[in-house]
Amino acid sequence: MDKRPIGVFDSGLGGLTVVKELKKLLPHEDIIYFGDTGRVPYGTRSKEIITEYACQDINFLLSHDVKMIIAACGTVSAVLPQSIIASLSIPFTGILLPAVQAACATSQNARIGVIGTPATIKSGAYGRAIRSIRSDAVVTGNACPLFVPLVENGYVKRSDKVTSLVASDYLKIFEGSGIDTMILGCTHFPIIRDIISDMLEQDVTLINPGEETARYTAAKLTKEHILNAPQHEGNCRYYVSDAPESFSEYGSLFLGEQIGGHVEKVDIGQLPANITK
Ligand code: DGL
């Protein structure tokens, strides 16, 4: 048993779609969430800057003595160098591996689609990870940068014409690709999964990174014997780098419930940009 919290971070609000699934699957766990709302988006930045920001986010969570770290950000998951992950003394996961494992297990025909931020798609990390499990896989990817601001600004209803128009343009590339499975490679995207689904052929299964990451985390904590006590009622503490009020206001869309509890602003730029523990 291990009473320490799980640390979760994202560039902003999207990671709350992972917290939502963690709360369902691991109700006895405490969670410390950091959303880098002052520096979002990460997905349009360079690998170097994303890595620097992610190291600061990880250092913040380490300072809270967490027992596992989850990068609930598709961009960080795709870009963070393996050497940094290997330097951590506690378990770590991004959303990439859980989503890729699920997609490889789901796909019947090994034709898999991936959508994400520009940095995620440019990294090629999903294609490499998929082919390491299924060498026969044909992977088709596309960057969907406008999905993030559309979701953050609340254009998420199935009837929203702007989001549907943007989605039809981004997803045109998958017509005739034969994909039967698509990874939502960004934690904002499950919020508009119905719109995405409407633009794809009917038999495409969408992989929600939040659900898969929560399953992966539950299995990891169980395997490492570091679950919290079953009688403990888990709680969440939230930290952001800007505008705690907006986080509380808009976060509920991602979390699927009100952001209960305290949201505190921290100065993330002060922290070292390399892993210190
Ligand atoms: N949550 C981020 C991701 O999953 C998207 C937002 C951003 O670009 O920072 O990639």
Side-chain angles (χ1 to χ4, degrees), residues 9 39 42 49-62 76 80-81 84 268 271-276:
F9 74 96
R39 304 190 295 196
Y42 285 8
I49 291 290
I50 295 163
T51 302
E52 188 182 311
Y53 288 179
C55 286
Q56 290 179 314
D57 303 344
I58 290 169
N59 280 328
F60 174 74
L61 293 174
L62 289 174
V76 170
L80 196 64
I84 290 177
I268 197 77
L271 294 176
N274 59 321
I275 301 300
T276 50

Side-chain angles (χ1 to χ4, degrees), residues 80 149 152 211 247:
L80 196 64
E152 299 233 327
E211 287 170 8
F247 182 84

Side-chain angles (χ1 to χ4, degrees), residues 42-228:
Y42 285 8
T44 49
R45 298 181 192 271
S46 67
K47 184 177 175 175
E48 290 70 29
I49 291 290
I50 295 163
T51 302
E52 188 182 311
Y53 288 179
C55 286
Q56 290 179 314
D57 303 344
I58 290 169
N59 280 328
F60 174 74
L61 293 174
L62 289 174
S63 75
H64 283 265
D65 193 23
V66 294
K67 62 183 171 188
M68 175 166 177
I69 290 180
I70 302 173
C73 172
T75 307
V76 170
S77 307
V79 163
L80 196 64
Q82 190 53 42
S83 57
I84 290 177
I85 297 168
S87 73
L88 295 170
S89 55
I90 53 170
F92 172 95
T93 188
I95 64 163
L96 184 145
L97 183 63
V100 163
Q101 285 177 341
C104 289
T106 302
S107 178
Q108 299 289 318
N109 67 3
R111 287 177 183 264
I112 298 172
V114 182
I115 53 174
T117 65
T120 296
I121 298 303
K122 193 170 158 222
S123 75
Y126 275 93
R128 284 194 298 279
I130 291 168
R131 281 187 292 272
S132 75
I133 297 174
R134 288 190 73 164
S135 55
D136 59 333
V138 178
V139 182
T140 309
N142 204 23
C144 304
L146 289 175
F147 281 172
V148 172
L150 283 167
V151 170
E152 299 233 327
N153 285 285
Y155 288 85
V156 299
K157 285 204 210 90
R158 211 167 190 164
S159 55
D160 268 325
K161 289 198 178 66
V162 186
T163 311
S164 296
L165 190 68
V166 171
S168 73
D169 193 57
Y170 282 151
L171 302 176
K172 220 183 286 168
I173 184 176
F174 296 100
E175 273 169 29
S177 66
I179 59 161
D180 68 354
T181 306
M182 174 182 274
I183 297 174
L184 304 178
C186 169
T187 47
H188 280 69
F189 296 178
I191 303 287
I192 51 165
R193 61 180 301 154
D194 289 344
I195 299 175
I196 293 168
S197 184
D198 287 346
M199 302 300 153
L200 296 168
E201 277 146 276
Q202 268 177 359
D203 55 356
V204 177
T205 304
L206 298 183
I207 303 293
N208 177 342
E211 287 170 8
E212 301 310 329
T213 304
R215 272 191 210 117
Y216 183 97
T217 302
K220 187 79 182 164
L221 296 183
T222 306
K223 186 168 168 239
E224 303 278 332
H225 306 290
I226 53 172
L227 285 161
N228 206 336

Side-chain angles (χ1 to χ4, degrees), residues 1 28 228-233:
M1 196 189 77
H28 311 298
N228 206 336
Q231 60 274 21
H232 179 77
E233 199 183 320

